[in-house]
Amino acid sequence: MYGEKAVELIRQLHRSSDGSLPPFNEDGIRQVLEEMRVLFEQNQADVNKTVDGAPGLFPGVQLRHAALERNKRCLLAYMCNRMERLRTMRWEFGSVLPPDIKYNLSEQEIQWFSRYNKSLATYMRSIGGPSGGGLDLTQDLKPPKSLYIEVRCLMDHGEFETEDGTILLLKKDSQHFLQRSQCEHLIRQGVLEHIL
Amino acid sequence: MDDLDIEEASDEEVEQMTAAEALAMVEKAWLNEKFSPELLPHKQDLVDVMLDQLNDMEKNISRAKKGDLKVSIHKMEIDRIRYVLASFLRIRLEKIEKFVHHLLEEEAQLGEDVPSRMSPEELQHAKNFAANMETLFNDVVLRHMPRNLKKLEGSKVAVGPYQDSYVFLQVQEQVDQVMVDTAGDQGDEAIDLEKGSQHIMRYRVVAPLITNDAVTLI
């Protein structure tokens, strides 16, 4: 049945809807593109026959054209959905992706990611006009409840210097009382854990 | 907080705005943007003013005595204001990236003097995003497709905001004779919006009223 493989791609994406990206199904896409090529060639042949006078071929041409459009739509939906998930990851993980996610991306998706990073960075730098210093929009994701927060270190991270010059040693399981703005990025990276 | 005199040049006059007023305007813009389904006109000047303020505040407290209680309180205020600004710009960016083709089409059709919804930097980011997306699709799938399907048609791809979603609103100024079309055979009904009242209705009806501050979304 035409369009089956395309829908299978989408189903695969839908199954892993917990936000992580499954590996890029290069093979599946190639099969769908191959199906499209075959359909198009059959259509071309039929159109030529109709021009030469053979009747009754038009419904076939229409069916194949509908299948072609469906395949195109499914492929674009697959790509678009992956792209959107990748975008969400940029806001979650920052500009460097963890290697296990990078493993699941295609070469072009990695290039897309780096171009998106660049565009986003340019935009964030330009906030506040030419004299302003820009604003990092990936900070302050939640409304601040208090100025200082209690954090526990999840892994050895070496020395850390805060804004006012105090140096802390971030050893595994050590607890610190730090200013929220200083340690927010470490919390997001997973080095520190916010103790409620 | 001491009142800082800020000059904001707008068209012909020069307005003096206190820090508190600027913050109130930023918060109002933030809430409107949060609850509106479509991208509202940009407030780049306001954002710039507020950022300048923040930088001034930070300079002030870095000069103050360390360990003073006032320093902590000011720092908290700075954190809060930074959150509101960041959230406002984030929400806008999300809408821009979601409706990118629709907004770029609208931008292309604007007349000479009509102000754009997006600030110049946002417009640049939108163009980059659209080009980036097209490159990705082209390289992976569109290149290999049969001749007549190779292009990404703008009209088929543009997703517009859902104008008929319901929003809560509070009326700031009396507005008379707002046309609301009711379902069924009663046709259009004109209602009066009293100052201070709260309503829920379709976004399409109140969209023009938000831009001139007659109504705020809650």
Side-chain angles (χ1 to χ4, degrees):
Chain A
M1 194 57 235
Y2 300 136
E4 279 277 325
K5 296 199 190 80
V7 172
E8 181 55 44
L9 276 180
I10 309 241
R11 237 181 252 138
Q12 187 195 48
L13 207 54
H14 186 66
R15 256 180 241 135
S16 66
S17 55
D18 62 347
S20 67
L21 278 174
F24 188 71
N25 196 343
E26 181 104 37
D27 214 33
I29 294 204
R30 205 179 334 200
Q31 286 179 353
V32 176
L33 286 171
E34 181 59 33
E35 185 182 287
M36 287 179 77
R37 194 182 61 79
V38 166
L39 281 171
F40 185 67
E41 279 173 8
Q42 286 175 335
N43 256 1
Q44 284 288 74
D46 272 359
V47 164
N48 287 338
K49 274 192 230 150
T50 311
V51 162
D52 288 338
L57 290 171
F58 195 57
V61 171
Q62 264 186 318
L63 175 71
R64 282 191 218 106
H65 188 70
L68 280 170
E69 299 233 311
R70 172 105 160 124
N71 276 343
K72 175 176 175 178
R73 188 174 162 154
C74 287
L75 281 180
L76 287 180
Y78 181 71
M79 301 290 317
C80 200
N81 202 280
R82 284 182 71 95
M83 188 186 84
E84 277 170 14
R85 289 196 197 180
L86 206 49
R87 181 215 177 259
T88 317
M89 286 188 193
R90 163 65 180 89
W91 287 90
E92 260 179 52
F93 295 118
S95 57
V96 179
L97 286 175
D100 47 347
I101 292 190
K102 226 168 163 177
Y103 183 67
N104 286 339
L105 301 178
S106 72
E107 183 61 42
Q108 294 90 348
E109 284 176 340
I110 297 180
Q111 287 170 359
W112 180 89
F113 190 77
S114 82
R115 285 196 296 263
Y116 179 65
N117 261 346
K118 225 170 39 177
S119 180
L120 193 61
T122 315
Y123 173 68
M124 292 201 285
R125 248 201 319 270
S126 74
I127 304 175
S131 57
L135 186 62
D136 186 0
L137 295 180
T138 54
Q139 300 271 4
D140 307 306
L141 286 172
K142 296 214 192 78
K145 285 247 161 75
S146 61
L147 192 53
Y148 286 86
I149 52 175
E150 184 91 22
V151 289
R152 184 186 298 127
C153 210
L154 294 175
M155 57 182 89
D156 278 334
H157 200 249
E159 290 198 345
F160 179 66
E161 185 170 342
T162 60
E163 197 178 59
D164 48 1
T166 12
I167 301 185
L168 297 157
L169 181 61
L170 295 178
K171 215 161 123 65
K172 190 167 189 305
D173 290 332
S174 65
Q175 291 190 200
H176 304 279
F177 192 57
L178 295 172
Q179 259 197 38
R180 163 186 299 279
S181 46
Q182 303 293 309
C183 50
E184 196 176 341
H185 74 283
L186 285 174
I187 294 180
R188 273 225 312 266
Q189 273 174 25
V191 172
L192 296 176
E193 179 193 2
H194 180 30
I195 307 174
L196 291 150
Chain B
M1 168 117 209
D2 296 332
D3 277 354
L4 303 166
D5 277 337
I6 307 293
E7 279 190 16
E8 184 186 299
S10 70
D11 289 337
E12 291 95 27
E13 1 167 304
V14 171
E15 280 176 38
Q16 299 275 56
M17 200 190 293
T18 63
E21 282 176 16
L23 185 57
M25 284 184 68
V26 167
E27 288 189 353
K28 195 164 72 166
W30 174 55
L31 286 176
N32 273 344
E33 193 75 60
K34 189 164 174 181
F35 296 118
S36 155
E38 70 173 355
L39 188 70
L40 298 172
H42 74 87
K43 297 261 188 280
Q44 198 55 29
D45 294 334
L46 191 55
V47 170
D48 289 346
V49 162
M50 207 66 230
L51 266 182
D52 278 340
Q53 286 260 35
L54 268 188
N55 286 334
D56 284 343
M57 276 195 253
E58 282 185 343
K59 270 195 262 200
N60 281 343
I61 61 168
S62 68
R63 286 185 317 206
K65 222 172 18 169
K66 201 166 148 195
D68 204 353
L69 183 63
K70 274 194 288 186
V71 171
S72 304
I73 299 185
H74 278 308
K75 276 214 185 113
M76 275 232 70
E77 171 133 35
I78 290 179
D79 264 0
R80 274 198 276 261
I81 297 177
R82 213 192 351 250
Y83 168 74
V84 173
L85 275 180
S87 180
F88 175 63
L89 291 172
R90 266 198 299 269
I91 295 173
R92 285 186 67 85
L93 213 57
E94 210 179 292
K95 282 190 205 168
I96 289 176
E97 290 176 1
K98 194 160 146 189
F99 301 131
V100 63
H101 291 274
H102 176 253
L103 286 170
L104 286 179
E105 245 176 59
E106 190 188 61
E107 187 68 32
Q109 289 172 355
L110 280 181
E112 269 289 305
D113 291 326
V114 180
S116 157
R117 266 182 215 270
M118 298 184 270
S119 71
E121 294 86 20
E122 287 174 341
L123 182 58
Q124 186 57 47
H125 181 73
K127 287 186 183 156
N128 287 344
F129 190 77
N132 206 2
M133 187 156 85
E134 252 192 74
T135 314
L136 178 65
F137 290 171
N138 268 333
D139 281 347
V140 182
V141 280
L142 289 176
R143 233 179 355 159
H144 304 290
M145 285 198 186
R147 271 201 311 278
N148 60 336
L149 295 172
K150 265 203 204 303
K151 300 223 117 238
L152 195 67
E153 273 161 59
S155 57
K156 285 196 190 153
V157 165
V159 179
Y162 184 49
Q163 296 276 358
D164 287 326
S165 57
Y166 283 89
V167 289
F168 281 95
L169 52 105
Q170 179 165 47
V171 182
Q172 305 298 333
E173 286 167 18
Q174 173 96 6
V175 183
D176 291 331
Q177 302 294 307
V178 174
M179 297 304 280
V180 177
D181 58 14
T182 56
D185 49 3
Q186 288 165 320
D188 286 358
E189 201 181 287
I191 60 169
D192 295 337
L193 295 174
E194 301 282 321
K195 179 168 176 175
S197 62
Q198 293 174 333
H199 302 270
I200 174 173
M201 55 175 79
R202 275 179 300 148
Y203 177 75
R204 190 190 294 273
V205 175
V206 294
L209 298 174
I210 296 180
T211 38
N212 54 4
D213 282 347
V215 140
T216 51
L217 297 181
I218 50 177

